[in-house]
Amino acid sequence: MLPVAQLYARDIPDLRPPGQPEADLLQILWCPFNHPIMPRTALFWRSAAAVTDSLTTPPEPSAVQSADHVLEPCLLTPEQITEFPNPMELSNELRDSLGDWNKWQAADAGADSSYASAPERFYRNSLSVAPGWKVGGWPFWGPTDPTPRECPACSTEMDPLLTIATFEWDDDTRSWSPDSEQARARPSTTKTGPEAQAVIDFFRAQGIAVHDRGRVGRPRAAQPNSDLAPRQPTAVQIGRGGRQQLYICPLSSEHHHIELMQ
C-alpha cells in the first residue's frame, strides 16, 4: 500500500476519532489498484508521540495499476474555511431563493453582473462545496444525487472525513485557488472571499445553516515539478477526474469507513 495523507490534530483541531482521545495523528494508505473503480483505502489513527521510528526512504510498491495512483510528495498548508451545502441538499424553496438576483445585489455578496441571468451559479461555483482536497466539510454531488451514508456496522449516519480530489479547482471554481495562483491566472469573478460576513449573513437570513468546516489547505509540491499543473499538485487522478470521498462512523473509529466516488 502507498501513503496518501498524514494529518495531525494540531493542524486540524476537528480531526479526532470517536472514542480515541489520545489519537492525534491520522495516516491514510491505499492500494494502487482500482477496487473496482478507485483505490481501496485503510485508516490508521495513532498517537504522534508513540511514533518514534520513521523510515527515511519509504518502500516503493512492487506493482501499481496506474501512475495516477502514485502521489507526488506534497506539503500541506491547512486553512479553515466556510462553505455551504451542495444545491442538491437544499429545499426547492431555498434553491428558488438562490436564483433571485435582487437578493444577491441586496446582500452585496460579491457576485458581478455576469451572474445576473443565473445567480445560482455564483452560489454553486464560489460559495457551495469547496473543491480540492479537504477534511470534513460538505460533500460534492454530481454523478449521483445525495445518497444515504450509513455505517455498515450500526446504521448511523456517517460523517465526511476526507475528500481526495483530482483537481484543486477548475475554470468555474477558480475563486477557491490560492492567492499566489490567482495572481498568475485570469482575475476571478468573485470580488469578495467566501468567508465574507455579508455572504454569511445572507445565507443565515435564507435559513441555510452556516458551518465552519475544517479543510486541508492547498497541497504544495515538496519538490516542485514543472510538468504538474498548479491545480493538480498531487498528480493523482480519481476515475476520469473525480473525487474519492471517505466517511467514518461518529460513534466508533472501529467501525469500517465507507468510500464514494463523485
Side-chain angles (χ1 to χ4, degrees), residues 3-4 58 70-76 219-225 228 233-235:
V4 175
V70 181
L71 284 74
E72 184 75 13
C74 289
L75 300 177
L76 296 175
R220 298 181 302 173
Q223 297 178 340
N225 185 335
L228 295 178
T234 61

Side-chain angles (χ1 to χ4, degrees), residues 105-240:
Q105 288 183 302
D108 191 23
D112 65 28
S113 58
S114 66
Y115 286 104
S117 61
E120 65 276 7
R121 286 178 50 244
F122 176 72
Y123 173 80
R124 185 177 65 248
N125 294 342
S126 301
L127 301 169
S128 183
V129 180
W133 287 60
K134 65 182 179 182
V135 172
W138 293 97
F140 176 89
W141 302 105
T144 70
D145 292 336
T147 59
R149 289 141 290 165
E150 296 182 350
C151 174
C154 66
S155 300
T156 301
E157 179 73 10
M158 304 187 86
D159 293 334
L161 173 66
L162 179 69
T163 297
I164 301 168
T166 301
F167 299 110
E168 288 296 295
W169 70 87
D170 58 24
D171 286 343
D172 290 333
T173 58
R174 193 180 293 274
S175 62
W176 292 98
S177 65
D179 291 339
S180 59
E181 299 301 338
Q182 290 196 37
R184 297 203 298 257
R186 69 186 183 197
S188 168
T189 55
T190 306
K191 296 185 175 63
T192 306
E195 72 285 359
Q197 190 60 45
V199 177
I200 295 174
D201 292 343
F202 169 65
F203 283 104
R204 282 179 175 155
Q206 304 306 311
I208 300 177
V210 176
H211 299 285
D212 292 330
R213 301 294 186 114
R215 181 162 185 268
V216 171
R218 303 299 181 188
R220 298 181 302 173
Q223 297 178 340
N225 185 335
S226 60
D227 295 332
L228 295 178
R231 70 191 186 107
Q232 196 181 11
T234 61
V236 69
Q237 178 162 318
I238 304 299
R240 296 184 177 180

Side-chain angles (χ1 to χ4, degrees), residues 36-109:
I37 60 174
M38 56 187 171
R40 182 171 296 163
T41 56
L43 311 182
F44 299 92
W45 298 95
R46 309 178 68 182
S47 168
V51 181
T52 58
D53 188 12
S54 301
L55 295 176
T56 56
T57 304
E60 295 291 330
S62 57
V64 298
Q65 181 172 340
S66 168
D68 294 335
H69 299 335
V70 181
L71 284 74
E72 184 75 13
C74 289
L75 300 177
L76 296 175
T77 306
E79 61 181 347
Q80 197 86 4
I81 58 100
T82 297
E83 62 175 7
F84 299 89
N86 186 286
M88 292 183 181
E89 298 198 50
L90 303 178
S91 66
N92 290 335
E93 180 181 2
L94 287 175
R95 284 201 294 267
D96 290 342
S97 182
L98 295 177
D100 188 335
W101 178 240
N102 292 328
K103 290 185 177 180
W104 284 105
Q105 288 183 302
D108 191 23

